[in-house]
Amino acid sequence: MKQVNVAILGCGTVGTGVARLLLDNGDIIRDRIGCALHLKYVADIDMDRARGLDLAPGVMIPDAAAAIADPDVHIVVETIGGEGIAKKLIMGAIAGGKHVVTANKALLAKHGNAIIEAATARRVDLAYEASVGGCMPIIKAVRESLVGNRISGMTGILNGTCNYILSKITDEGVDFKTALAEAQAKGYAEADPTLDVGGYDAAHKLAILSALAFGMKINFDDVFIEGISRITPLDIEFAAQFGYRIKLLAIAKFDGESVEARVHPTMIPFDNLLSNVNSTLNAISIKADAVDEILLYGHGAGMMPTASAIVSDLADIARNLASDGAGRIPVMGFQADTIRSIPVMSMDDIVTNYYFRFDALDRPGVLAAISGILGKYAISLKSVHQKGRKANGSVPVVMLTHQAREADVSKALAEISVLDVMVGAPMLIRIEDQNGQD
Amino acid sequence: MKQVNVAILGCGTVGTGVARLLLDNGDIIRDRIGCALHLKYVADIDMDRARGLDLAPGVMIPDAAAAIADPDVHIVVETIGGEGIAKKLIMGAIAGGKHVVTANKALLAKHGNAIIEAATARRVDLAYEASVGGCMPIIKAVRESLVGNRISGMTGILNGTCNYILSKITDEGVDFKTALAEAQAKGYAEADPTLDVGGYDAAHKLAILSALAFGMKINFDDVFIEGISRITPLDIEFAAQFGYRIKLLAIAKFDGESVEARVHPTMIPFDNLLSNVNSTLNAISIKADAVDEILLYGHGAGMMPTASAIVSDLADIARNLASDGAGRIPVMGFQADTIRSIPVMSMDDIVTNYYFRFDALDRPGVLAAISGILGKYAISLKSVHQKGRKANGSVPVVMLTHQAREADVSKALAEISVLDVMVGAPMLIRIEDQNGQD
């Protein structure tokens, strides 16, 4: 095989990046894989979007369906995004026997099982390295490098927007709104930032990774999701006093029977490498029996890092084409007939350590009332901190707990929140601290 | 293909680990790759070494050659080590058409070009993920994940023994000898520690990685190597004052024409993730045009982490066997006919920032004499620190330089070292600081 023909659907940031990388680094790619990745089509309704690219005549076309229908096209790259037209085109490409590469995590998280089933049945490759962690080779690491391991957990910073905002609040003491506005001004956050700051994007990625790591069907609906919009500079300051930094973590754990899958702001100790991953960067730590732990770090988004991951998928598929190896690696890392529906644990059953912050009126008996309720639900405290500074007559009361069950914590906080002395809703931040979990 | 037959040659720590992983995790490996990795032989002259393994009768054999000669064996795993018998057996296996997996970095660094040539000619796979960075998937990342990138540099902590010793000196202020003795007591260093503390092991790995990243022949002879035995607690203390930690780094850079390849103790800033990689752990940062930077972290040695990397190689080869894809990825990541002999820059031509420590008698004119010689060689100083404390009548004079050429630095230090007022040889530590290189 001298040449593999590629069609890119969608000429936005990522599609443009892929086209640019194929054009600029085509020589070294060919030297490595032994055949050319030839850019046959870039399809976009808005033909002007290819302006920055030096495309040969006829490469830019307005009709994605025409690119899919061309029998010379081997691989279709979907960089349109969203769950409508993107899904339709991917399913059409698979039906037509094309191999597919996508970075579309929302689509895979919500409709991945059906798409994977179609690709497996049609014996075409479906590759998605760019869907999680940008250029970090996390899909390859889990599917290939850890093939001999039983994976027990993953802890990742998987959303650059949130990490930028939290880093900003940490470094400059600004509030969430100011940090978000700055992220938007720099192009790190969308005009409607909900998908990112609400934790949904990280949850999409976690659903994909959990399936891949544990051999389960993709289950996005059961991922617990909590965003970062309630995090204040005060919480970050308290966290630092206890030796923690606050990150939006995507956490998955597997005990052999059920899976924990949750995305929420989390306190992690300074000596955890993840606590030193700042700005828009991503990182993920994977725990597994043979390796103990590996960690990957890199840009989780951006034009060229994402393009790099897509080109690595293209190269893998091109190599499969050269050796008649389509389906060489099953889409989700496990042979299709071994993939199970592993139950995701209810958030109620999670056991972890907690940080609470209560804004209470500075009156006698407040601490007794709060700790009485916590005691009733068997939540035992590791430490209590009352900060002298008052604001509007209230003082922050901060508590760190020993291990407690989420259901108990929810009930206790509901009771505490309706105490007369409480000003505003209680703040709860979960703690991941391997050294301090007791 | 229902079953791929594996023969392990050498039942030391790593060989035992591979056997154990194939036996303990055989079920999940089969679920992932769709065929069994069957342990057909473990060969070792000392048959007692398999005591801890629950092997079926006939698996343990004394004769490695017999395992290679068995036509049913698909893949040979070499875990003997060294450059004598290991090389002979690998060449024999290749000649017999067996695929080969090895963790033997010394062998690959010194004889890799010939072995690779033989494997390429015979169209068998030669895999070596475990040879660099233990379970970190660095070979796969460079060969596959970064396929679309031009790689410009790599900076790695690639020797766990050195990292343990330097971490120990840093954390506890003990001297090199004490830290080494502790490493030996814990089994992290050999009785003869030269290969590790002398920097040679890291240099073996760097030679392999440079070839892989830049598309060049393996060239171990031209790697500059300096070990850690001269590092003192005092240097580590000064480094911390300037915001640096000292690590044994393996550094490779490529400007498109020539390559820098060097292993030496290096000062790196606290905010560099590598400075937070401690104890026996390894990490490597790779710079490339599309991804900017990725970093991998994990155990660089040890029974099961190394076994994990070897099993990932076995799985890759098993997948190739299923699809007639041997040689699917060229051994060194580039098609054989595109690999060049890229010159390695002489150490004299390296330009970087330096830390000097001179132990000088506390007499007038000392600073003038030292800085006069540095000025003569156009080495300009960023800062000078004279520490009050005297030991044996001498005071440490510490200097940080702006960018300077190694050849100039060598000449200047040679002149300074013979000044009457000097007590002992000057200390030189190179600095890698992207923010501070001027």
Side-chain angles (χ1 to χ4, degrees):
Chain A
M1 181 150 267
K2 282 271 161 54
Q3 177 178 304
V4 168
N5 295 319
V6 175
I8 298 172
L9 313 186
C11 193
T13 303
V14 175
T16 301
V18 176
R20 188 167 292 167
L21 200 51
L22 292 179
L23 298 173
D24 290 352
N25 285 0
D27 55 343
I28 199 167
I29 294 169
R30 196 182 49 241
D31 285 353
R32 286 190 174 120
I33 66 177
C35 74
L37 293 180
H38 174 68
L39 185 57
K40 178 128 200 206
Y41 298 114
V42 178
D44 200 302
I45 299 172
D46 181 358
M47 302 261 289
D48 283 349
R49 295 179 89 186
R51 255 177 320 201
L53 293 168
D54 188 20
L55 299 179
V59 172
M60 188 75 205
I61 59 169
D63 182 10
I68 292 176
D70 184 333
D72 289 345
V73 168
H74 300 98
I75 314 175
V76 168
V77 180
E78 181 273 310
T79 55
I80 297 165
E83 297 158 42
I85 181 77
K87 184 184 174 195
K88 213 173 132 184
L89 290 170
I90 286 176
M91 293 303 265
I94 291 171
K98 309 296 191 201
H99 307 288
V100 172
V101 179
T102 179
N104 195 331
K105 49 257 180 188
L107 178 62
L108 289 176
K110 295 193 199 161
H111 307 282
N113 291 323
I115 296 170
I116 290 160
E117 201 176 308
T120 306
R122 193 67 174 77
R123 288 192 60 76
V124 296
D125 282 324
L126 171 68
Y128 49 94
E129 181 67 80
S131 70
V132 182
C135 67
M136 297 193 301
I138 176 67
I139 305 296
K140 194 175 272 287
V142 173
R143 277 202 333 182
E144 302 175 40
S145 301
L146 298 179
V147 69
N149 288 253
R150 294 182 205 276
I151 298 173
S152 56
M154 297 177 294
T155 312
I157 295 172
L158 296 180
N159 184 275
T161 308
C162 288
N163 207 38
Y164 177 85
I165 291 171
L166 290 174
S167 299
K168 197 93 190 160
I169 302 177
T170 304
D171 294 344
E172 300 175 16
V174 299
D175 66 7
F176 171 77
K177 276 191 183 169
T178 308
L180 171 59
E182 176 92 17
Q184 285 170 322
K186 292 210 170 178
Y188 299 150
E190 309 279 338
D192 175 0
T194 318
L195 202 63
D196 290 318
V197 302
Y200 303 100
D201 174 74
H204 291 151
K205 294 165 180 169
L206 188 68
I208 298 168
L209 281 184
S210 302
L212 200 60
F214 308 137
M216 64 191 280
K217 297 240 178 228
I218 296 173
N219 179 350
F220 169 68
D221 291 340
D222 289 342
V223 177
F224 174 83
I225 308 171
E226 185 182 294
I228 62 166
S229 58
R230 287 192 63 217
I231 300 295
T232 67
L234 186 61
D235 296 312
I236 285 178
E237 200 186 308
F238 274 118
Q241 283 176 27
F242 306 136
Y244 295 122
R245 220 162 273 164
I246 300 177
K247 295 289 180 187
L248 182 78
L249 291 192
I251 299 169
K253 298 179 185 179
F254 182 41
D255 62 9
E257 296 193 347
S258 65
V259 162
E260 279 183 42
R262 46 194 171 103
V263 172
H264 51 69
T266 314
M267 291 192 185
I268 46 174
F270 289 150
D271 67 357
N272 184 323
L273 277 186
L274 291 178
S275 82
N276 296 303
V277 172
N278 294 316
S279 187
T280 59
L281 282 145
N282 284 18
I284 185 161
S285 151
I286 306 169
K287 300 254 181 194
D289 58 355
V291 298
D292 177 27
E293 181 190 5
I294 64 168
L295 179 139
L296 310 181
Y297 161 93
H299 290 283
M303 177 187 277
M304 299 317 290
T306 308
S308 170
I310 288 177
V311 169
S312 81
D313 281 343
L314 290 172
D316 280 351
I317 296 173
R319 284 166 163 159
N320 287 351
L321 286 168
S323 59
D324 196 22
R328 178 177 176 274
I329 301 180
V331 180
M332 293 308 290
F334 284 78
Q335 300 295 311
D337 58 0
T338 71
I339 293 175
R340 298 177 292 156
S341 291
I342 302 175
V344 174
M345 214 185 275
S346 158
M347 198 61 191
D348 279 349
D349 296 326
I350 299 294
V351 173
T352 188
N353 296 45
Y354 295 84
Y355 156 99
F356 302 142
R357 177 174 53 78
F358 305 105
D359 276 329
L361 294 178
D362 193 10
R363 287 195 201 148
V366 167
L367 209 55
I370 293 173
S371 48
I373 295 172
L374 292 172
K376 192 171 96 182
Y377 289 101
I379 298 161
S380 82
L381 296 173
K382 199 182 270 181
S383 62
V384 176
H385 309 261
Q386 192 161 337
K387 194 123 181 184
R389 63 152 93 150
K390 295 182 201 181
N392 309 322
S394 74
V395 287
V397 178
V398 166
M399 298 176 168
L400 299 187
T401 76
H402 289 287
Q403 292 222 319
R405 203 167 145 265
E406 181 92 9
D408 297 327
V409 167
S410 301
K411 284 180 211 154
L413 263 55
E415 274 190 38
I416 291 168
S417 68
V418 296
L419 290 176
D420 282 350
V421 292
M422 297 306 294
V423 181
M427 184 70 189
L428 164 170
I429 301 176
R430 296 167 193 87
I431 300 171
E432 286 281 310
D433 183 354
Q434 288 188 291
N435 310 317
Q437 283 198 344
D438 51 4
Chain B
M1 182 149 266
K2 283 270 160 56
Q3 176 178 304
V4 168
N5 296 319
V6 175
I8 299 172
L9 313 186
C11 193
T13 304
V14 175
T16 301
V18 176
R20 188 167 291 167
L21 200 53
L22 291 178
L23 297 172
D24 290 351
N25 286 1
D27 55 344
I28 198 167
I29 294 169
R30 196 182 48 241
D31 285 353
R32 286 190 175 119
I33 66 178
C35 75
L37 293 180
H38 174 68
L39 185 56
K40 178 126 200 209
Y41 298 115
V42 178
D44 201 301
I45 299 174
D46 180 358
M47 302 261 290
D48 282 349
R49 296 179 89 184
R51 254 177 320 200
L53 294 167
D54 189 19
L55 299 179
V59 172
M60 189 73 204
I61 58 168
D63 181 11
I68 292 176
D70 184 333
D72 289 345
V73 168
H74 300 98
I75 314 175
V76 168
V77 180
E78 181 274 308
T79 55
I80 298 165
E83 297 157 44
I85 182 77
K87 184 184 174 195
K88 211 173 136 186
L89 290 171
I90 286 177
M91 293 302 264
I94 291 171
K98 309 297 190 199
H99 306 288
V100 172
V101 178
T102 179
N104 195 332
K105 49 258 181 186
L107 178 61
L108 289 176
K110 296 194 198 161
H111 306 282
N113 291 322
I115 297 170
I116 291 159
E117 201 175 309
T120 306
R122 194 66 174 77
R123 287 192 59 78
V124 296
D125 283 323
L126 172 68
Y128 50 92
E129 181 66 81
S131 70
V132 182
C135 67
M136 298 193 301
I138 176 66
I139 304 296
K140 195 174 269 289
V142 173
R143 276 201 336 181
E144 302 175 40
S145 301
L146 298 178
V147 68
N149 290 254
R150 293 182 207 275
I151 297 173
S152 57
M154 297 177 292
T155 311
I157 295 172
L158 296 179
N159 183 275
T161 308
C162 288
N163 207 37
Y164 177 84
I165 290 171
L166 291 174
S167 300
K168 198 91 191 161
I169 302 176
T170 304
D171 295 343
E172 300 174 18
V174 298
D175 66 7
F176 170 77
K177 276 191 183 168
T178 308
L180 171 60
E182 177 91 18
Q184 285 170 322
K186 291 209 170 179
Y188 300 150
E190 310 279 337
D192 176 0
T194 318
L195 201 64
D196 291 317
V197 303
Y200 303 100
D201 174 74
H204 291 152
K205 295 164 179 169
L206 187 67
I208 297 168
L209 282 183
S210 302
L212 201 58
F214 308 137
M216 65 191 280
K217 297 240 177 227
I218 296 172
N219 180 350
F220 169 68
D221 292 340
D222 289 341
V223 177
F224 173 83
I225 308 171
E226 185 182 296
I228 62 167
S229 57
R230 286 193 63 218
I231 300 294
T232 68
L234 186 61
D235 296 312
I236 285 178
E237 197 185 309
F238 274 118
Q241 283 176 28
F242 306 136
Y244 295 121
R245 221 162 272 164
I246 300 177
K247 295 289 182 186
L248 182 77
L249 291 192
I251 300 169
K253 299 180 184 178
F254 182 41
D255 61 10
E257 297 194 345
S258 65
V259 162
E260 278 182 41
R262 46 194 170 103
V263 172
H264 52 66
T266 315
M267 291 192 183
I268 46 175
F270 289 150
D271 68 357
N272 184 323
L273 278 186
L274 291 178
S275 83
N276 296 304
V277 172
N278 294 316
S279 188
T280 59
L281 282 144
N282 284 17
I284 185 162
S285 152
I286 306 170
K287 300 255 181 192
D289 58 355
V291 298
D292 178 26
E293 180 190 6
I294 64 168
L295 179 140
L296 311 180
Y297 161 94
H299 289 283
M303 177 186 278
M304 298 317 291
T306 308
S308 170
I310 288 176
V311 169
S312 83
D313 280 343
L314 290 172
D316 280 352
I317 295 173
R319 284 165 163 159
N320 286 351
L321 286 168
S323 60
D324 197 22
R328 177 176 176 274
I329 301 180
V331 180
M332 293 307 290
F334 284 78
Q335 301 294 312
D337 58 0
T338 71
I339 293 174
R340 297 177 293 155
S341 290
I342 303 175
V344 175
M345 214 184 276
S346 159
M347 198 61 192
D348 279 348
D349 295 325
I350 300 294
V351 173
T352 188
N353 297 43
Y354 294 86
Y355 156 100
F356 301 143
R357 177 172 53 77
F358 304 106
D359 277 328
L361 294 178
D362 193 12
R363 289 194 198 149
V366 167
L367 210 56
I370 294 172
S371 48
I373 295 172
L374 293 173
K376 190 171 97 184
Y377 288 102
I379 298 161
S380 81
L381 296 174
K382 199 182 268 180
S383 63
V384 176
H385 309 261
Q386 192 161 338
K387 195 125 180 182
R389 63 153 92 151
K390 295 181 202 180
N392 308 322
S394 73
V395 288
V397 178
V398 166
M399 299 175 167
L400 299 186
T401 75
H402 290 288
Q403 292 221 316
R405 206 169 143 264
E406 180 93 8
D408 297 328
V409 166
S410 300
K411 283 180 211 153
L413 262 56
E415 273 189 38
I416 291 168
S417 68
V418 295
L419 289 175
D420 281 349
V421 292
M422 296 307 293
V423 181
M427 185 69 189
L428 164 171
I429 301 176
R430 297 167 193 86
I431 300 171
E432 286 282 308
D433 182 354
Q434 288 188 292
N435 310 316
Q437 281 196 348
D438 52 3

